[in-house]
Amino acid sequence: MQAPEKAHPTPFMPPPDSSLELTPEQMRVLLEQAARRVFSHIASLPTQPSADTDRGAELAKSLIEPLPVQPTDAAELLDLLFERLVPKSFTASGPGYLAYIPGGGLFHSAIADFISDSVNRYVGVWAAAPALVQLEANVIRWFCEIVGYPSGARGVLTSGGSLANFSGVVTARSALLPENFLQGTIYTSDQAHHSVQKAAALAGFPGRNVRVVLCDERFRVDVAEMQKMISNDRKAGTSPFMIVGHAGTTNTGAVDDLVALADLAGRERLWFHVDAAYGGFFMLTEHGRRAMAGLDRADSLVLDPHKGLFLPYGTGCLLVRDGDALRRAHSHTASYMPEYQEDPDLVDFCELSPELSRGFRGLRVWLPLKMHGVEPFRRNLDEKLRLAQWAADNVRAIDGIEILAEPQLSVVAFRLVKPGLDEAELNRINIDLLRRITGRKRVHLSGAMLGQRFALRICVLSFRTHMERMKMAIEDIRAAVAEL
């Protein structure tokens, strides 16, 4: 007869610690405290400085501290954030932010993130949250519809264009190169965003494998020169496999001849990738569709909803025409994973992306699009195109101003020219001009080197930027030029 099992003694356990749990009343109070400050912040955006980082290093160093042991009252922490820390920054969500490529920061998406983070559902695999995964899949389908991709296309939301470019390079490498891929070469323009070079490096390619092609006077890549490079590389024994074109470069908003690049990629049997992080959503407009003809022929492309759809930073996207190619490049499994979807209408996002753990990014896109429909986004983008052209015409009228890049989308680049000065002296004057304009803190512009010339840039892309603010920009540019 088998002896009964001995019961193990119950170990000593301290009382349950529920100090991280907030009661409904505590949650309500915290939410109200935060909301009150957020509402005030957004309401004051039109009167906030366009940028204020004076003594920023001093402030940053004052915040260095050891791991906190004692609690701090939430109201005190929120006051620190909104009264001292948030103001010391570029006001990227304000109407005067005309620098780099603005990110809008729609409040609707903040509510979506609050919901997403609060319910904390996992959407990396379909089985964990089927309905929520479908909402994000709908967003990807909508983006495919905007750019003209077929039903077999797939995509993923990313943190931004840099990771989307990385996955695009990995997908092309997987599709066209062997495991020993170090002879593979990539072709792009000298106006490419640095994330293209970084993506190639992270994907395992030596820096020399990224061939940089010069541009024409409109800062569009020279397709004939690219063709010559590809032919010479084939003769030298390398393996050309990828072209990276642009639908809106960072410096000037230039749009490459996408039809010609698609034709070249087809002739040479190369993967055609387009960085449309800035410009892609202008496909919602008639002007954008004309400017970016051929975008639908790309094998893959990058979009940044935090640019052209005015969403908060941290919202990028990669679309791939052949969804199976995206899946083959990223699919891996393990014994602890649930069974993946084979239904073509459903998706496991972990199979299309480097990420397994990820947030529910789709809701921040889905909610504002469902609340408003697409038309307000289209109208806003049309307005930005018109404002950029208006800005170019008015800057051109200022004595001594030279337009270096006419708007192809919503960027204009210009500089001040004074007779008898060499390029180095002109660059110094224009750096000073930029400092004087931004020093008024009504608008924030940025600069860029176009070859050997320093240019000032205006990029109009915030849903809060309208004609009133653009008139302020021209006033401040005119006044700063007069000072010089």
Side-chain angles (χ1 to χ4, degrees):
M1 188 173 178
Q2 194 172 18
E5 292 185 4
K6 291 184 179 179
H8 293 282
T10 302
F12 169 76
M13 294 292 291
D17 187 338
S18 300
S19 55
L20 293 177
E21 288 277 14
L22 300 182
T23 67
E25 176 62 15
Q26 288 173 319
M27 286 189 278
R28 183 190 63 78
V29 170
L30 180 59
L31 188 58
E32 287 178 352
Q33 289 177 332
R36 185 170 65 252
R37 290 166 173 83
V38 168
F39 297 159
S40 176
H41 170 79
I42 293 176
S44 69
L45 282 172
T47 58
Q48 288 183 28
S50 59
D52 181 9
T53 56
D54 297 342
R55 302 179 70 179
E58 179 182 329
L59 174 61
K61 289 182 179 180
S62 75
L63 296 171
I64 298 172
E65 61 176 337
L67 181 69
V69 176
Q70 299 302 320
T72 306
D73 181 69
E76 181 182 336
L77 297 174
L78 291 170
D79 284 343
L80 172 67
L81 281 170
F82 282 91
E83 293 176 10
R84 294 188 58 210
L85 309 188
V86 171
K88 283 296 177 184
S89 58
F90 294 168
T91 309
S93 52
Y97 191 76
L98 306 174
Y100 306 105
I101 310 291
L106 278 174
F107 180 72
H108 320 52
S109 294
I111 295 299
D113 284 353
F114 169 70
I115 295 169
S116 174
D117 293 346
S118 297
V119 302
N120 197 33
R121 295 298 189 260
Y122 175 62
V123 295
V125 295
W126 181 89
L132 300 182
V133 171
Q134 188 57 51
L135 292 188
E136 191 160 320
N138 287 352
V139 167
I140 297 296
R141 288 173 187 263
W142 298 341
F143 290 173
C144 288
E145 181 180 343
I146 289 170
V147 302
Y149 263 11
S151 60
R154 294 289 181 268
V156 290
L157 296 180
T158 70
S159 61
S162 294
L163 279 186
N165 274 325
F166 168 66
S167 276
V169 171
V170 168
T171 302
R173 186 193 72 190
S174 169
L176 295 182
L177 292 178
E179 285 191 9
N180 183 6
F181 55 77
L182 291 183
Q183 290 301 308
T185 48
I186 301 169
Y187 303 82
T188 192
S189 93
D190 64 3
Q191 296 298 300
H193 192 273
H194 78 278
S195 65
V196 174
Q197 294 272 2
K198 183 183 287 189
L202 293 175
F205 294 97
R208 65 180 179 276
N209 288 36
V210 180
R211 307 291 201 249
V212 176
V213 185
L214 297 179
C215 290
D216 63 18
E217 69 283 354
R218 296 182 62 196
F219 303 98
R220 306 188 311 166
V221 72
D222 186 331
V223 180
E225 183 62 27
M226 185 180 287
Q227 172 75 81
K228 290 179 185 176
M229 281 191 179
I230 292 169
S231 299
N232 290 338
D233 282 343
R234 286 199 192 280
K235 291 174 185 176
T238 62
S239 301
F241 81 101
M242 187 179 192
I243 290 171
V244 179
H246 294 83
T249 59
T250 300
N251 282 344
T252 65
V255 179
D256 290 332
D257 186 339
L258 303 180
V259 171
L261 288 177
D263 289 344
L264 173 59
R267 288 194 306 271
E268 296 289 342
R269 302 181 305 282
L270 308 184
W271 187 278
F272 180 33
H273 176 78
V274 176
D275 185 343
Y278 156 53
F281 285 108
F282 283 106
M283 286 290 286
L284 287 168
T285 70
E286 183 179 347
H287 174 89
R289 288 190 294 274
R290 287 197 308 268
M292 293 180 281
L295 182 64
D296 60 328
R297 295 175 61 188
D299 293 297
S300 57
L301 60 90
V302 169
L303 300 169
D304 266 356
H306 64 215
K307 295 183 173 77
L309 289 185
F310 321 119
L311 301 188
Y313 290 121
T315 321
C317 180
L318 172 69
L319 300 179
V320 178
R321 167 181 282 277
D322 177 2
D324 290 339
L326 179 63
R327 183 176 179 178
R328 286 193 298 270
H330 293 86
S331 180
H332 286 273
T333 190
S335 60
Y336 47 79
M337 296 295 293
E339 187 174 349
Y340 291 149
Q341 282 299 318
E342 296 298 333
D343 188 324
D345 291 329
L346 305 176
V347 63
D348 291 287
F349 282 117
C350 69
E351 285 215 286
L352 310 181
S353 161
E355 295 179 297
L356 179 58
S357 297
R358 64 190 299 276
F360 181 22
R361 297 187 183 106
L363 196 62
R364 59 165 50 186
V365 187
W366 180 88
L367 186 63
L369 279 172
K370 287 290 287 184
M371 285 178 64
H372 293 284
V374 75
E375 284 306 315
F377 295 89
R378 192 192 316 275
R379 291 195 301 268
N380 266 273
L381 290 169
D382 259 324
E383 180 192 20
K384 307 319 159 195
L385 293 168
R386 296 174 192 274
L387 288 176
Q389 187 59 59
W390 181 89
D393 293 340
N394 280 270
V395 169
R396 191 192 336 270
I398 299 172
D399 188 39
I401 290 293
E402 175 188 17
I403 300 294
L404 297 179
E406 298 282 354
Q408 296 180 43
L409 295 172
S410 69
V411 175
V412 57
F414 63 95
R415 69 171 179 169
L416 177 65
V417 178
K418 288 183 175 290
L421 300 183
D422 62 22
E423 290 294 347
E425 292 169 322
L426 286 175
N427 287 345
R428 283 195 292 273
I429 284 178
N430 279 279
I431 290 170
D432 187 28
L433 177 63
L434 177 62
R435 181 185 59 79
R436 291 171 183 268
I437 295 167
T438 58
R440 288 167 165 79
K441 297 189 176 181
R442 296 201 299 176
V443 296
H444 194 65
L445 277 55
S446 57
M449 291 300 298
L450 301 179
Q452 300 303 310
R453 300 171 297 178
F454 180 84
L456 288 77
R457 298 172 60 262
I458 294 173
C459 180
V460 193
L461 200 60
S462 172
F463 69 100
R464 293 187 172 105
T465 301
H466 305 293
M467 179 59 80
E468 177 187 12
R469 189 63 58 149
M470 296 308 298
K471 289 180 178 178
M472 291 182 191
I474 298 302
E475 289 171 2
D476 288 355
I477 294 169
R478 193 181 300 276
V481 168
E483 291 175 359
L484 291 170

